[in-house]
Amino acid sequence: MEKRIIPPSELIINSDGSVFHLHVKPEQIADTVLLVGDPARVTMVARHFDTIECEVQSREFHTITGTYRGKRISCVSHGIGPDNIDIVTTELDALVNIDFSTRTVKDTHTSLTLVRVGTSGGLQEFCPVGSYVVSRRSIGFDGILNYYDIPDGVLNLDIEQAFCAHTGWNPRLAAPYVVNADPGLVGRIGHDMIKGITISAPGFYGPQGRYVRALPADPRLNEKIMSFDWHGERITNYEMESSMLAGMAHLLGHRAMTVCAIIAGRVSHSMNTNYKGSVEELIETVLERL
């Protein structure tokens, strides 16, 4: 079968040979990638590197590739939200699995290890501010993954149906989807951390049940989320990226997981705005276990 040539409008390659949004060239990315939201956090991660190979910044996407204890690692910032994860995972995959000179898929597939280190709001008393939570599964409220052709086995349809029934899901909202993180990574990096089901929301305020001035469509949604129980598994936290990261990794043949430092207690209504130290400790732990 003749290989598909990907048009310039589908995969945009800059004049310097870098991919459109990240501005990174294929030779500048490692097979192990630490993902963070804040561009400044990439510099925090890179302070632990033994060597720095390259640094690239474009918009909210900041990339540093170097070595940590002899292992080549890239750290990439993705900004905020699941839509950005769609961009970052697609372009990272293109960097290792597309021949930019011919615009065709390479014969040999490269599987990336993608670990997101983020911040999150705890939804249970057993996820207090300062704890670390691994997203064993994620429920995506964004609907973005549903735009792709999803093979059987990627989504956990039983949990989807049970969750929608439990919450009386509003049909005006995007249909939730449930996807698992890579179990090997979860075990290796998060073996001594809290593990549970994470909600990935498409926004910080209303989509996470925050009420400032605009009224929420369902004032009891968080209450329903907190009481959901899937054979002993509870929904532990809110964040904004883990579902798309896990979902796109499944679609593209990569290994991915998310681990977050809890900085907001949605049960206790507490908040830690000075969370830099907690995140840095988590970054050090993840780097040691990659």
Side-chain angles (χ1 to χ4, degrees):
M1 180 183 294
E2 188 175 349
K3 284 190 174 184
R4 172 184 175 237
I5 298 175
I6 304 168
S9 60
E10 305 295 295
L11 175 62
I12 304 170
I13 300 173
N14 300 313
S15 59
D16 65 353
S18 64
V19 72
F20 185 58
H21 293 92
L22 300 183
H23 269 261
V24 172
K25 299 175 183 178
E27 64 271 17
Q28 293 177 315
I29 205 73
D31 290 352
T32 298
V33 183
L34 199 64
L35 295 166
V36 295
D38 185 352
R41 206 170 289 158
V42 175
T43 304
M44 179 194 294
V45 172
R47 283 203 295 265
H48 299 282
F49 286 1
D50 306 316
T51 62
I52 301 294
E53 179 183 317
C54 66
E55 180 172 7
V56 180
Q57 184 143 17
S58 174
R59 306 185 192 186
E60 63 265 55
F61 308 113
H62 184 194
T63 301
I64 296 179
T65 295
T67 58
Y68 176 80
R69 297 183 180 178
K71 183 180 180 68
R72 191 169 185 248
I73 296 176
S74 294
C75 184
V76 179
S77 64
H78 51 70
I80 297 175
D83 49 340
N84 275 17
I85 295 296
D86 182 50
I87 292 170
V88 171
T89 52
T90 299
E91 294 194 357
L92 286 174
D93 176 76
L95 286 166
V96 297
N97 287 312
I98 302 297
D99 184 328
F100 278 22
S101 62
T102 62
R103 292 184 163 273
T104 59
V105 177
K106 293 179 179 178
D107 293 329
T108 302
H109 177 267
T110 296
S111 181
L112 298 172
T113 296
L114 306 170
V115 178
R116 185 179 104 73
V117 178
T119 55
S120 183
L123 287 168
Q124 304 291 345
E125 290 183 356
F126 60 83
C127 304
V129 171
S131 61
Y132 300 144
V133 174
V134 171
S135 305
R136 176 184 279 134
R137 313 179 196 272
S138 297
I139 302 177
F141 282 4
D142 53 277
I144 298 173
L145 194 69
N146 294 326
Y147 285 88
Y148 290 94
D149 181 14
I150 305 173
D152 291 342
V154 171
L155 301 179
N156 192 315
L157 301 178
D158 291 339
I159 298 180
E160 282 183 27
Q161 292 166 6
F163 177 80
C164 288
H166 179 81
T167 57
W169 192 255
N170 186 342
R172 288 178 57 83
L173 303 177
Y177 60 91
V178 181
V179 61
N180 295 342
D182 181 84
L185 285 176
V186 168
R188 190 166 89 220
I189 292 174
H191 59 84
D192 55 356
M193 301 176 186
I194 299 165
K195 289 172 278 294
I197 305 172
T198 294
I199 299 286
S200 285
F204 185 78
Y205 290 98
Q208 294 188 36
R210 287 187 169 94
Y211 169 39
V212 181
R213 278 200 339 112
L215 293 172
D218 182 355
R220 294 188 57 242
L221 181 57
N222 277 1
E223 177 187 330
K224 298 171 189 175
I225 287 170
M226 292 175 190
S227 64
F228 181 71
D229 188 313
W230 176 256
H231 302 294
E233 288 188 59
R234 304 296 295 276
I235 295 176
T236 47
N237 59 316
Y238 259 128
E239 52 83 81
M240 298 177 65
E241 292 90 13
S242 65
S243 60
M244 267 302 285
L245 176 61
M248 290 299 288
H250 277 288
L251 297 187
L252 296 170
H254 305 299
R255 302 165 65 236
M257 66 160 284
T258 292
V259 57
C260 289
I262 300 297
I263 64 169
R266 302 303 299 277
V267 179
S268 62
H269 301 290
S270 59
M271 178 69 197
N272 174 23
T273 56
N274 298 311
Y275 55 81
K276 181 180 177 183
S278 178
V279 172
E280 186 146 24
E281 288 177 7
L282 178 56
I283 285 168
E284 290 175 12
T285 299
V286 170
L287 282 170
E288 289 172 2
R289 296 177 182 182
L290 274 174

